[in-house]
Amino acid sequence: MAGRIAILLCDHYHREAKTVLTLDGFEEAVVVTFPARCNRPPLSPEELEAILAALGDCERIEIFGAACCLDLIEDAPDKRPPRRIHRLPQCFSMIADQEIIDRSLREGAYLVAPGWLTDWPAGLERLGLDREAARAMFHETISRVTLLDTGIDVTSGLHLAEFADFIDRPCQIHTVGLCCLRLRITQTILTWHLEREKRESFEAAREMRKQSADYAMAVDLLGHLAQTTEETQTVVAMIEVFTMLFAAGRVAFLRFVDGRPEELHLHPEETSPADRETLRTRLADFREESAWTESGRGFLLRIIHRGETQGVIAVEEIAFPEYRDHYLNLALNIVNVCTLPIDNARKYDKLRKTEALLKKANTELHLLATTDTLTGIANRRSFDSTLAREWRRMIRSRTPLSLIMCDIDFFKNYNDLYGHQAGDACLQDVAQAIRKKAMRPGDFVARYGGEEFVIILSGTPAAGALHIAEEIRNAVRQLEIPHAGSQVDRFVTVSLGVSQGDASAAMKADTVLRAADAALYEAKQQGRNRVVIADTERH
């Protein structure tokens, strides 16, 4: 398994990881698992060594798991192969966004993965629980069982129903798919690719510099060739080297990729299409290391690097054919140097593509970390950083900044009456209604937690914020989402609190946030479905 990377994780996620590798075509990666540690001691160093010994040769080992699995395992970057530990907050962090996990746990949910559900009776047996004991324990500790469904096992829903019935608790399916796991594995493999390709590029460049020193007679020309990082530039420079060294009237180079002929480069370019095609066919069919041309005033060379043909070069109409043997010997020496910049250019190209893929994966991870996955707007983490940044800007520019805190009225009643799926849909609709009313360049909308939202209005005084808050309240009411559990209206409504920060006043951002929250509380006390503006001096 030399030149491969191993992904080591809990066997509960084996099928998901294998599917990710198949979907993304990571043939150089292999999934290895350790036995799940649920209700067992953490993985010991001895157990890990036994697993790795059975793995065989591997270039890198990436180990994923939470403290329940890896508490006794340490990073070993100096070992061969190097091992890197990815410590997760919970095992479920492999497949689900952390905010989903935290929210479910706060709501009293007992989270399960498809892998655990396939043998849930064994899990209860390890706890020493029969049906009666299990029901007693889970009735005291959880509100429901939530399956984080990756979509891999079509029988997960059946297993969930059996388990929930056994412990007599309600159940829920939250579809998470393979997005989080796919991003983790993709980022890990692309980072490994990047490190390996940088190392190979460095080694290739070092080898190229060493061999260039052995051919001092062509040092100036080959020095220019060695500086190129684009393959097209490298080919053009190489043709110039052969043209100048051998005073050739014509030089052609047919590029090969993965053993197949590709573009034909000519100097000079003035050649008829028929002659160009004839020359291309001749070079494509050339199989020897070197040979003289039919005229005797030139030669052909096959450029080979590590057993792979990079191209075939033809030098014709040399000015001094009497020195052709000397020219051929010099060309045979030079051609070994020419392989290195071509290979280096290809590695640079591959490196750029890998860096682009890694940048894309990092961008997606950042978006996942700062976006509320349910509503599509910013999450609490993104709000905290944005408020700090906008507060500093307010102080510098001495312009007002207002906050609006918004809460859906009697949302718990709504969830209890219509169910969590309807509750999620309600949150999504309300979030979009808020976003449509706060669309200016400086406006920022985030989900603060649960059924609460917060809006940052940069450069906006309290009067303007009050107007926008009223527009939000009316927009939500106009959605006409039925709410039989509301005590203020037959449709879903919101209460809002408004506060303003002032750069001229000695206050902090959290003071304005508390003021907005207090105003929201006052709006609820006054009967809900209304907007109240805060007195920031009291906070």
Side-chain angles (χ1 to χ4, degrees):
M1 220 175 291
R4 306 191 93 186
I5 181 171
I7 307 296
L8 181 62
L9 40 64
C10 172
D11 59 10
H12 282 168
Y13 305 109
H14 179 254
R15 287 177 296 176
E16 284 83 357
K18 290 279 287 185
T19 301
V20 167
L21 296 188
T22 300
L23 289 174
D24 292 332
F26 290 130
E27 297 179 357
E28 69 279 28
V30 61
V31 175
V32 186
T33 63
F34 52 79
R37 315 314 293 181
C38 305
N39 308 312
R40 296 174 179 166
L43 189 69
S44 69
E46 293 76 18
E47 288 177 287
L48 177 62
E49 291 303 324
I51 293 171
L52 298 183
L55 177 62
D57 291 333
C58 202
E59 188 174 311
R60 172 71 67 81
I61 298 171
E62 305 283 348
I63 306 173
F64 292 85
C68 61
C69 301
L70 305 179
D71 196 39
L72 304 178
I73 305 300
E74 297 181 354
D75 281 307
D78 298 329
K79 283 194 175 184
R80 288 293 174 267
R83 308 167 191 178
R84 181 160 48 195
I85 309 296
H86 301 263
R87 303 186 189 277
L88 308 175
Q90 290 97 11
C91 286
F92 303 112
S93 304
M94 282 296 297
I95 58 173
D97 178 68
Q98 194 59 43
E99 186 170 344
I100 294 174
I101 296 171
D102 293 342
R103 175 163 59 91
S104 298
L105 293 176
R106 285 196 303 269
E107 293 173 355
Y110 184 73
L111 300 179
V112 293
W116 184 87
L117 276 177
T118 57
D119 193 21
W120 63 265
L124 295 185
E125 185 177 345
R126 282 193 297 273
L127 288 172
L129 298 175
D130 57 15
R131 179 188 293 264
E132 183 179 348
R135 289 187 172 188
M137 186 189 80
F138 284 111
H139 268 264
E140 293 179 359
T141 56
I142 70 170
S143 61
R144 67 179 185 274
V145 181
T146 297
L147 166 62
L148 299 176
D149 191 7
T150 59
I152 294 299
D153 189 348
V154 296
T155 64
S156 292
L158 178 61
H159 295 317
L160 174 65
E162 292 173 348
F163 173 59
D165 179 67
F166 187 84
I167 64 172
D168 192 25
R169 290 276 81 192
C171 60
Q172 174 193 25
I173 297 178
H174 193 113
T175 301
V176 295
L178 295 175
C179 179
C180 286
L181 180 63
R182 198 170 186 176
L183 284 173
R184 286 188 187 279
I185 291 179
T186 298
Q187 183 189 37
T188 299
I189 294 177
L190 289 179
T191 300
W192 168 66
H193 273 298
L194 187 62
E195 292 172 354
R196 184 174 63 174
E197 286 160 12
K198 283 183 177 179
R199 186 171 60 251
E200 290 176 355
S201 295
F202 175 78
E203 292 171 355
R206 182 174 59 184
E207 182 182 354
M208 182 179 65
R209 289 193 297 269
K210 178 181 180 299
Q211 290 204 16
S212 295
D214 295 336
Y215 305 103
M217 68 177 69
V219 64
D220 291 336
L221 295 174
L222 295 177
H224 172 66
L225 182 63
Q227 293 172 7
T228 58
T229 57
E230 296 283 346
E231 187 171 356
T232 301
Q233 295 176 354
T234 302
V235 170
V236 170
M238 184 177 63
I239 290 175
E240 290 178 355
V241 168
F242 277 79
T243 301
M244 297 179 67
L245 280 178
F246 308 119
R250 188 175 70 172
V251 178
F253 177 78
L254 180 62
R255 176 175 174 260
F256 278 66
V257 177
D258 296 330
R260 297 187 302 272
E262 298 286 344
E263 308 93 36
L264 177 66
H265 300 264
L266 286 174
H267 177 77
E269 288 283 344
E270 296 80 10
T271 306
S272 68
D275 289 344
R276 189 183 186 95
E277 186 60 31
T278 300
L279 178 59
R280 189 183 191 284
T281 301
R282 184 158 63 94
L283 298 185
D285 294 339
F286 185 67
R287 295 291 181 269
E288 302 176 52
E289 181 182 351
S290 64
W292 301 112
T293 60
E294 294 178 359
S295 68
R297 296 186 58 190
F299 52 82
L300 291 88
L301 293 175
R302 195 154 60 98
I303 300 178
I304 305 171
H305 183 67
R306 296 177 181 172
E308 180 181 346
T309 299
Q310 293 180 333
V312 175
I313 191 164
V315 179
E316 188 63 277
E317 301 174 11
I318 57 178
F320 306 99
E322 62 272 23
Y323 296 118
R324 71 175 198 169
D325 289 335
H326 170 70
Y327 285 164
L328 181 58
N329 288 332
L330 179 58
L332 287 170
N333 287 327
I334 290 176
V335 79
N336 292 326
V337 180
C338 291
T339 64
L340 297 173
I342 293 175
D343 186 62
N344 205 33
R346 293 181 181 182
K347 281 188 169 64
Y348 270 112
D349 184 61
K350 192 175 181 181
L351 183 63
R352 281 192 292 268
K353 291 177 180 177
T354 302
E355 286 178 327
L357 288 173
L358 182 60
K359 183 178 179 181
K360 180 182 177 183
N362 284 333
T363 300
E364 292 175 350
L365 278 174
H366 174 73
L367 184 63
L368 189 65
T370 57
T371 302
D372 178 62
T373 55
L374 176 63
T375 61
I377 62 176
N379 61 14
R380 173 71 176 273
R381 183 188 308 171
S382 181
F383 165 75
D384 290 340
S385 61
T386 301
L387 178 59
R389 183 177 65 250
E390 293 300 323
W391 190 264
R392 291 192 296 269
R393 180 184 298 173
M394 179 200 73
I395 293 175
R396 289 195 306 270
S397 61
R398 304 191 70 78
T399 56
L401 179 148
S402 294
L403 291 180
I404 301 174
M405 290 289 290
C406 174
D407 186 86
I408 301 176
D409 296 327
F410 301 104
F411 186 72
K412 183 180 183 305
N413 294 353
Y414 188 96
N415 261 341
D416 293 342
L417 185 61
Y418 298 100
H420 288 283
Q421 288 187 340
D424 288 349
C426 176
L427 288 170
Q428 292 167 344
D429 292 340
V430 170
Q432 295 310 310
I434 295 173
R435 183 150 60 179
K436 288 178 181 178
K437 295 301 179 182
M439 297 182 63
R440 298 176 306 170
D443 296 345
F444 179 84
V445 180
R447 185 180 177 192
Y448 194 70
E451 65 271 23
E452 282 190 314
F453 300 89
V454 61
I455 303 98
I456 301 175
L457 301 174
S458 299
T460 304
L466 183 64
H467 175 72
I468 292 174
E470 280 291 350
E471 286 195 339
I472 291 172
R473 187 183 69 81
N474 289 328
V476 172
R477 174 58 178 75
Q478 289 169 8
L479 292 175
E480 295 189 350
I481 302 172
H483 189 354
S486 173
Q487 298 177 18
V488 295
D489 202 306
R490 58 196 181 96
F491 297 116
V492 168
T493 58
V494 292
S495 299
L496 304 99
V498 177
S499 65
Q500 177 189 330
D502 189 346
S504 63
M507 66 172 62
K508 296 182 179 179
D510 60 349
T511 303
V512 180
L513 184 61
R514 287 197 303 270
D517 190 57
L520 171 61
Y521 178 79
E522 182 61 26
K524 293 180 181 180
Q525 292 296 108
Q526 292 181 17
R528 305 182 190 251
N529 188 23
R530 66 194 63 228
V531 180
V532 169
I533 189 166
D535 179 6
T536 52
E537 293 182 357
R538 296 174 56 191
H539 302 275

